[in-house]
Structures are given as C-alpha cells and as structure tokens.
Amino acid sequence: MPAPKSGSILRRPSRGTALISAALGLSLVLAGCGGSNVAGGGGGNPAASSQDCAPFAQYGDLSGTRVTIYTSIVSPEDQPHIDSYRPFEECTGAQIVYEGSKEFEAQLPVRVQGGSPPDIAYVPQPGLLNTLVTQNPGAVKPAPQAVVANVDQYYSETFKAAGSVDGTLYGAPLGSNVKSYVWYSPQEFTEKGYAVPQTWDEMVTLSNRIVADGGKPWCAGIGSGDATGWPLTDWLEDVMLRENGPEVYDQWVSHAIPFNDPRVVRALDRVGSILKNPDFVNGGLGDVASIATTTFQDGGLPILDGTCYMHRQANFYAANFPEGTDISENGQAFAFELPSINQGGQQTILVGSEFVAAFSDRPEVQAFQAYLSSPEWANAKARAGSDLGQSGWISANTGLDPNNLSNPIDRLSAEILQDQNNTFRFDGSDLMPAAVGSASFWRGMTDWITGQSTTDSLNYIEQSWPGSS
Amino acid sequence: MTLLDKLLQLLVAVAVFAAVMGVVLLVADRARGRRTDLVSGLAFVAPAVLLLVIGLLYPASRTAAQSFLDASSANFVGLDNYIRIFTQPDLVIVLRNTLLWVVIAPILSTAIGLVYAVLVDRTRFEAFAKALIFLPMAISLVGASIIWKFVYAYRPNQQNIQQIGLVNQVLVWLGFEPVNFILAEPWNNLLLIVVIIWIQAGFAMTLLSAAIKAIPSDIIEAARLDGVGGVRLFFYITLPSIRPAVVVVITAISIAVLKVFDIVRTMTGGQFGTSVVANEFYLQSFRLSDLGMGSALAMILFVLVVPIVIYNVRQMRKVDAR
C-alpha cells in the first residue's frame, strides 16, 4: 500500500474500506427495491379474519403473494377501491398494492414499453386497451377462464365487446358510467311548473318555454385541460344513437361509414340547434363560445343558482355538486334520461367503463382479476363507497344489488344498466383510434363550438382518421 | 408511501452513492506506475461519461432514428413525419406559435428587464423595486399560469354574475363588455407569452443590472464630461458596454421559451390554436402513441436549440474572458 501523496487533502481509504462500502451499498440496493403504498391491512393469516371466506375458497391460499395495481383513480375516489380489496386480502392472504396517478394514460404505455408494467391496470378507454394489445404483442394477457365466465354471466354484450380485441376478451369491465343523462333541478322545475320531457320535441318545447319565461334553458362546459372537447363528443354520440339507431352508430364508430357522413352532419346540426343557439345557452356562463372555456366541472353548477335548467352529463357529474347538495328525485339536483328522438324507438343508453388489463398471468393476479369481475366485488365496492358517503360509482355487473348504493342517482343508474329493455352502446370516442378519439375529435368539437362550421369540423376529423388521408 | 419507506429509499440512495464512490476509489487506488494520473482521471470521469451516454446520447440517437419510423416504430417512413409537420394545417399553426414565442418573449423580457434595471439603478428604492420584479421568478410556470388564468377569467355580463378575472373586472368598471380572452385567436398566444415575460423579466433585470454596475465609472464620468446624458448615455455607453450580457440573457431566455410546455398545457391545453412544439411533442408521443411524430417534433426542437446553445456558450466565454 503506497503512502498517501503529501499534500493530498483527503486521506485515501484503504482498499478494504472501499470494498466494504461497495458491497454494503449493493446489498442495500437489492434489499431496498420494491413498491410502496401497501393497500389495506391485508396479508395476514387467512384463518384470522372475521370475514365470511367461503366465496374466496376457489382462489386458494395466496399467502405471501402481492398484486400491483396502476390506475387513474386517485384520492378521494381511491379509498373505497382500497377498502373493497380487504375481503380478498383477508381471505386469500394476498397483498394488493394500489398506485393511482393522474398521468396514468401517458405513463402506462411508457411503463409497458419499458418492460416494467404493473400486474394490473385499470384502463379507462377501450381504444387505449386496443393500442396496448396491438402495439405490444404479448404484453397484455388475455382474460383467464374464470373472468370470461363472470363476464359472460354478469355483463351485457356491449361491455364484453368493448373489453375485447379481435374477439379475445382482455379486460373485464370495472366501474361503469351512464352517460345519457340530463341534469336538472327538481325543486326549480316544480316551482316553475315544468315537467320532465319524455321526447326530444318535448325537450325543445320546454327549452322554448324557458326562453319565453326569460331564462336560459341549457348550460354546458367542455374545458378539461388538454382533453378539452370531450363532453361534446358525448353529445354527438348520444344524438347519433337517438337519430340513426345503434347499427348506424356502430358503422360510424368503426369507420364503416365516413366520419363526415350526411347522417353525422345532421346529428351534429341537431346538437347545434341546442348548444349553438344563443337563446338556449349558456345559462349563467356567457355566450355560445363560453362553452369552450368553461371547465366541464363548472358546466352544470348554474343549475343550483337557477340561471340554468338543463345540463347533459354522465352520472359521475354528481360528484361535482358542492358537498351537502340534495341530489334526489325531489332535491336540488337530479337527472333524467336524454329522451329519444324517434317515437317508439328503443331507448339506447350511452355508457362508459374502465377495464381491468393484466400484464402478468401469475395465479394470484388471475385470482384477483376473477374477484374484480365477480358480483362479490361489485357489492363490496358499492358498500365501501356508501360507507364513506361517496356517490358517482356504479357497476354494470348484473349481480350488483342496487340497495348497496346509498345515493338515489347511483341507484337509478344501476337500475338503468340492469334494465333488459335498454340497448347499450359504448362511448364512441373511447372506441375510436387515439388519433381521432382522444385528439382530432376533441379538437374538432372545440373548434366547432367556437364557430367552425359543422362540415368543416367533421371533414377535419375524417381526414385525421389513420390511413384515410 | 410511509415515512419508513421514504427513509429506506433515502438510505438506498446514499448507499448507491457510497458504492459507486467505493468502486471509483478502488479503481483509482489500483493505478500504478507512470500512468497513475491517466487511470485515476479516467476512473473519476468514467461514471459521468457512462451516465451521459446512457441518459443523453443513447436516447437522443434513438429519438433521431424513431423520427423516421411510423407511429408504432415498426416501419420506416422516411421523411413523412417531417413533411406532415410542415404541411398539415394544425401542425403549421404549432410551428407558427413557437416562432411567435421565440421572437417575442426573449426580446420583450430582455427589453423590459433592461429598461427596468437602468431606471432603478442607484435610486433610493433600488432594492425594493428589484425585489418586486424578481419575485415572480420564484413561482413555478404552472403556478404562474394558474394565476394568469384567473387574471384573464371570463364571466358573462349578466345579473347575479360577478366577474372573477382582473382584466374583465376592469373592463366592466370602465363600462365595456367582458371579453373571453383565451378564445381570441391568434391574440391569445400573446396573452400566454405575457406569462413567461412576467417570469423572465426579473431574470433579465438581475443579470443586466449586475452588468450595468460593472461598467467602469470613469467611462461614464468621461461621457458625462463630454456632455452625454440620459437616453444618449444609454445608447452610446451603457448598451455597448453590456452587449455580451444582453446576448447571454436573450439566448438563455430563448432556450427556456423553446422548451415552454407548462404554460400552454396549464392555460389552454394547446386548444384554440395555442399549441407549441414542446406541447405537441408530448401530446403526440404520450397521448396519441405516435412515437414517430413525437420524435420528429422533438428533433425539430433539438435542431432549433442547438445553434442558440452554441452561440450562448461562445458569448459566455467572451464575458468570462473580459
């Protein structure tokens, strides 16, 4: 060992010290790798729980295993999710690690391509699921047999198809939304003597009556950061369904007919007859163009002030009313189904859902997937949400008992989803390729509401369809 | 994440550092003979070079390669992505906006900072006045965007409705109709640019003020004796003396402006014709999974920044050499 050079400020460490520190460091690195955010108090001894574990016997003993979940559902909506995993954790011994991120949609493909996907991701759009499956062969695992059986038994065909790619089921639906709602104030309606419209024409007649009474019947807001425009895609989809029926709607969504087909032009013009009518909008929020700059969260709030009477938005809008708002049949806010346009036609409901995609086929992951697609989970989730006083969550699982939902609007939504007489169609923009469904469709609708013509807007979206230019 | 997890991660990070240093010192220690300096030098430089290659060179070359591939990075499409950027109308708007930002923001921030620095120089309120314009620099771009979003906020002129936006409230007080500013294309771009000027003017003022104070006082005295004062003193003496500092400030702000993303994303999300290259690059890569287009936009940003960086480095050397 040479003597330290004179004048050097630091004493050189002996070789032994350096070796030890290197080895220590490495072992600490290896020991320290691992996740965080452990959900619930699970992972204990399966026998020590107070839970009735009979329904979980089929999953076997999963002690010592863990399943990681990645989702866009963040606080406070994540708590009932985490709570709803407890029975599974207590009875099987598996540990569920929950991670929510608002940048989920951008981050998930990065994680998948980077080779570090979570075990399970809750994918909010079928289009994104499709992209993940087709762009990363083998990354997304097909749903296991138990999940397929659950989906066949408890979900309608629309939901199964939306979770499938090329006929293979990849994701079972998790939570669902009823989108074809018009929010209104039952108290205000009673006070003014207005009745809930049963047909589109009645709705227009009511709007005109409100104008004659000196009010602005409709309010809307489509601002949503870089997703600005999506509430208008729902509007167009709803009217497409009601005006042209589910078959034409399917052709439009799958691009069997062009995006700017004359029937679509007619449907968008019908949306415009309400939203681009300066007499009808934008109650309490400004002129027609203010729809573009009002956030979707604020869009329906004027209903509570009486400066607006109707607001078309999904069931989850319930969460945007201030705490303490009475959301019920005779309360300050409630919703009715967007009425049908053609008399006698079947009522078609626009729905949305997130899907459980798995990137791993370990037994505990498949068991958890099966649990999430079962009525046991749907009911556990409903109870967990009700216990916390939350609303806005429902499942399309027909095994869900609506009585487990504490909120009237949630109960109504669950009943609509379970009504065998309803036809369902999945949110079209979520099904379309990302270049359309989460880009040009949004931008086109935003330009349309700020003054661009119907034809120009639809032509712009049509030319952006992949492979059509 | 629990506190324990965080502490553990901290410990791991420290351990990694110790491990790397241990290896480096070990290697440096083994060096023998005449090449001792070379080997120990390499041992110390190697980790940095390695990290640069992994973190910078490799991704950069991959991005360059990907910009010639299609959305799924599977097929070679040649210059298609670049051609689309320069021909597709909404992407051309993105380029136009980026140009607007790069031309207007650095010049205005520097000008405002310079004028401000000259005006408050050696006054009684100098420290206070400087603090005033420097404060916005402490605010993040996202925070600043939210503040300005409220400044521009719009509510209709209707009964029971209160304005919440500063500008519109002033307009209403003056008897005008409130305006939905964010929607007014292409002027809304200027309203967004105001945010970065608000932040960067303080930076420009600080550097330029220091440069002004560094002008030898005998030069100024000589000029005054020759009867030069006021505006002429500024144009004949002050400005030429601090020219290198002005260039450094302009180029530094230009680079910051080329990368601007937070402001656009927070205020408009790129809607209403306000998207810029950095925002569009994020959108294409991560929202639309079009890696080819995203990479091509990133390359354009890279090509635009490089000459400015080179020029900036050369100017800094000149400043240092003085």
Side-chain angles (χ1 to χ4, degrees):
Chain A
M1 178 104 200
K5 276 184 203 157
S6 63
S8 73
I9 300 163
L10 285 167
R11 191 184 70 84
R12 281 189 179 186
S14 74
R15 198 173 305 160
T17 319
L19 260 178
I20 288 170
S21 76
L24 186 75
L26 270 177
S27 63
L28 269 172
V29 172
L30 293 175
C33 284
S36 50
N37 224 355
V38 174
N45 183 355
S49 70
S50 54
Q51 190 77 28
D52 171 21
C53 285
F56 296 91
Q58 50 175 317
Y59 305 130
D61 184 7
L62 302 170
S63 295
T65 60
R66 43 197 285 153
V67 179
T68 58
I69 290 174
Y70 190 50
T71 150
S72 56
I73 302 164
V74 295
S75 181
E77 279 89 45
D78 58 351
Q79 198 54 50
H81 273 280
I82 294 169
D83 291 347
S84 70
Y85 307 149
R86 280 204 185 121
F88 182 85
E89 292 184 306
E90 284 174 13
C91 289
T92 65
Q95 195 183 50
I96 310 297
V97 183
Y98 187 96
E99 185 189 352
S101 164
K102 287 206 158 187
E103 287 296 306
F104 169 85
E105 275 115 322
Q107 288 303 315
L108 181 65
V110 175
R111 283 183 65 174
V112 173
Q113 280 153 19
S116 64
D119 290 332
I120 283 177
Y122 298 160
V123 180
Q125 297 116 6
L128 178 58
L129 181 68
N130 196 314
T131 308
L132 287 170
V133 171
T134 48
Q135 285 199 359
N136 310 279
V140 186
K141 308 294 177 206
Q145 201 45 50
V147 172
V148 177
N150 274 340
V151 171
D152 282 339
Q153 188 176 351
Y154 297 110
Y155 286 92
S156 68
E157 183 53 35
T158 300
F159 286 94
K160 187 186 178 185
S164 305
V165 179
D166 295 332
T168 308
L169 182 73
Y170 282 91
L174 193 73
S176 299
N177 312 305
V178 173
K179 299 208 160 195
S180 306
Y181 269 144
V182 178
W183 287 88
Y184 72 111
S185 167
Q187 288 176 359
E188 197 78 23
F189 265 46
T190 317
E191 199 177 299
K192 298 268 163 61
Y194 302 148
V196 168
Q198 303 301 320
T199 65
W200 188 276
D201 291 338
E202 279 181 39
M203 194 167 76
V204 174
T205 311
L206 172 64
S207 303
N208 283 317
R209 189 173 152 200
I210 293 171
V211 174
D213 290 351
K216 294 253 184 190
W218 291 89
C219 49
I222 62 166
S224 182
D226 58 359
T228 295
W230 70 259
L232 271 179
T233 68
D234 287 6
W235 258 103
L236 177 57
E237 287 154 15
D238 247 339
V239 173
M240 268 301 283
L241 270 176
R242 278 160 181 67
E243 197 164 282
N244 301 310
E247 287 76 27
V248 177
Y249 176 84
D250 290 342
Q251 292 166 2
W252 175 61
V253 170
S254 61
H255 209 223
I257 61 170
F259 202 99
N260 51 359
D261 189 90
R263 283 166 288 192
V264 189
V265 174
R266 222 171 37 236
L268 188 55
D269 278 339
R270 186 185 282 274
V271 176
S273 70
I274 288 180
L275 289 185
K276 278 190 157 185
N277 182 343
D279 292 338
F280 281 7
V281 293
N282 189 8
L285 298 165
D287 53 4
V288 172
S290 72
I291 290 174
T293 50
T294 305
T295 63
F296 87 90
Q297 290 95 336
D298 289 345
L301 295 182
I303 287 176
L304 301 179
D305 309 331
T307 49
C308 155
Y309 294 84
M310 287 180 277
H311 175 65
R312 188 221 151 278
Q313 190 53 275
N315 64 305
F316 53 69
Y317 195 75
N320 289 298
F321 291 111
E323 214 169 307
T325 306
D326 179 9
I327 303 176
S328 62
E329 289 88 339
N330 300 307
Q332 292 164 281
F334 205 60
F336 59 83
E337 287 176 37
L338 185 72
S340 54
I341 291 170
N342 300 316
Q343 294 286 338
Q346 241 179 342
Q347 179 66 309
T348 324
I349 305 290
L350 191 68
V351 292
S353 194
E354 68 255 0
F355 296 87
V356 180
F359 298 92
S360 163
D361 48 12
R362 300 196 310 276
E364 63 269 23
V365 176
Q366 297 203 332
F368 190 60
Q369 277 180 279
Y371 173 58
L372 288 179
S373 59
S374 70
E376 285 83 40
W377 177 76
N379 285 307
K381 171 71 180 70
R383 278 192 300 269
S386 299
D387 288 349
L388 292 172
Q390 288 191 4
S391 67
W393 184 90
I394 45 165
S395 164
N397 193 314
T398 49
L400 171 69
D401 179 1
N403 290 323
N404 284 325
L405 297 162
S406 62
N407 201 293
I409 190 72
D410 293 346
R411 273 204 297 275
L412 175 65
S413 306
E415 281 157 13
I416 289 176
L417 282 177
Q418 298 186 357
D419 187 343
Q420 302 295 326
N421 293 320
N422 284 330
T423 309
F424 300 105
R425 276 301 177 270
F426 209 85
D427 184 306
S429 60
D430 285 354
L431 292 169
M432 292 171 187
V436 179
S438 30
S440 63
F441 199 175
W442 294 345
R443 204 169 268 189
M445 288 296 99
T446 309
D447 292 342
W448 176 77
I449 201 70
T450 56
Q452 190 171 263
S453 76
T454 300
T455 331
D456 286 352
S457 306
L458 293 177
N459 288 347
Y460 160 70
I461 303 168
E462 167 62 18
Q463 58 83 22
S464 76
W465 198 287
S468 75
S469 56
Chain B
M1 206 191 284
T2 64
L3 186 65
L4 203 67
D5 286 335
K6 283 183 185 169
L7 285 174
L8 194 72
Q9 281 190 352
L10 185 73
L11 205 66
V12 169
V14 171
V16 170
F17 182 72
V20 171
M21 283 311 289
V23 172
V24 168
L25 290 173
L26 195 73
V27 172
D29 192 47
R30 290 180 72 95
R32 290 280 184 282
R34 286 174 52 220
R35 296 221 300 248
T36 309
D37 287 345
L38 181 71
V39 174
S40 22
L42 276 180
F44 285 112
V45 168
V49 171
L50 190 73
L51 287 178
L52 269 181
V53 170
I54 296 175
L56 209 65
L57 289 182
Y58 173 68
S61 51
R62 262 200 65 137
T63 304
Q66 260 177 359
S67 70
F68 299 106
L69 303 177
D70 68 353
S72 57
S73 327
N75 308 306
F76 182 77
V77 293
L79 287 172
D80 267 16
N81 291 322
Y82 292 95
I83 293 168
R84 263 173 66 202
I85 292 175
F86 288 99
T87 52
Q88 206 167 296
D90 41 335
L91 289 171
V92 171
I93 288 183
V94 169
L95 293 180
R96 178 203 73 186
N97 292 344
T98 306
L99 187 74
L100 271 180
W101 278 81
V102 176
V103 170
I104 296 174
I107 292 176
L108 273 187
S109 336
T110 312
I112 291 171
L114 180 59
V115 169
Y116 200 88
V118 170
L119 287 182
V120 302
D121 194 39
R122 276 160 234 203
T123 59
R124 268 198 301 156
F125 318 102
E126 185 172 350
F128 176 72
K130 278 181 167 175
L132 217 56
I133 192 172
F134 192 69
L135 273 179
M137 274 209 69
I139 301 171
S140 73
L141 288 180
V142 172
S145 307
I146 291 171
I147 292 172
W148 281 89
K149 229 171 137 174
F150 280 115
V151 172
Y152 299 138
Y154 163 81
R155 286 285 179 278
N157 209 2
Q158 211 175 312
Q159 257 193 335
N160 302 331
I161 308 264
Q162 299 281 325
Q163 291 296 332
I164 58 168
L166 178 70
V167 183
N168 273 320
Q169 182 62 69
V170 170
L171 283 181
V172 170
W173 275 333
L174 294 176
F176 295 103
E177 282 283 309
V179 179
N180 204 343
F181 290 106
I182 291 295
L183 273 183
E185 258 179 89
W187 308 109
N188 48 6
N189 282 298
L190 301 183
L191 300 176
L192 265 58
I193 292 173
V194 166
V195 180
I196 204 157
I197 294 177
W198 184 63
I199 286 185
Q200 295 288 3
F203 165 76
M205 183 275 299
T206 314
L207 259 69
L208 295 175
S209 174
I212 290 171
K213 290 195 187 308
I215 302 172
S217 52
D218 41 353
I219 296 183
I220 308 233
E221 270 170 37
R224 284 198 190 282
L225 284 176
D226 287 343
V228 179
V231 177
R232 282 169 63 215
L233 180 73
F234 174 76
F235 279 110
Y236 291 133
I237 307 296
T238 313
L239 199 53
S241 308
I242 62 167
R243 206 189 74 94
V246 172
V247 173
V248 167
V249 167
I250 288 191
T251 48
I253 297 179
S254 301
I255 295 169
V257 166
L258 269 175
K259 293 185 298 186
V260 77
F261 160 76
D262 333 39
I263 295 176
V264 172
R265 189 167 148 87
T266 311
M267 291 190 71
T268 63
Q271 298 274 6
F272 322 129
T274 59
S275 193
V276 291
V277 172
N279 184 63
E280 199 65 24
F281 143 68
Y282 177 86
L283 198 79
Q284 295 280 352
S285 305
F286 301 117
R287 241 343 212 295
L288 311 182
S289 311
D290 191 338
L291 291 179
M293 180 54 94
S295 305
L297 285 160
M299 287 312 289
I300 286 185
L301 211 54
F302 179 68
V303 168
L304 289 175
V305 169
V306 164
I308 305 179
V309 171
I310 293 173
Y311 188 60
N312 191 329
V313 169
R314 290 168 62 107
Q315 284 296 323
M316 293 237 260
R317 280 213 191 119
K318 270 194 205 164
V319 174
D320 287 345
R322 278 152 62 93

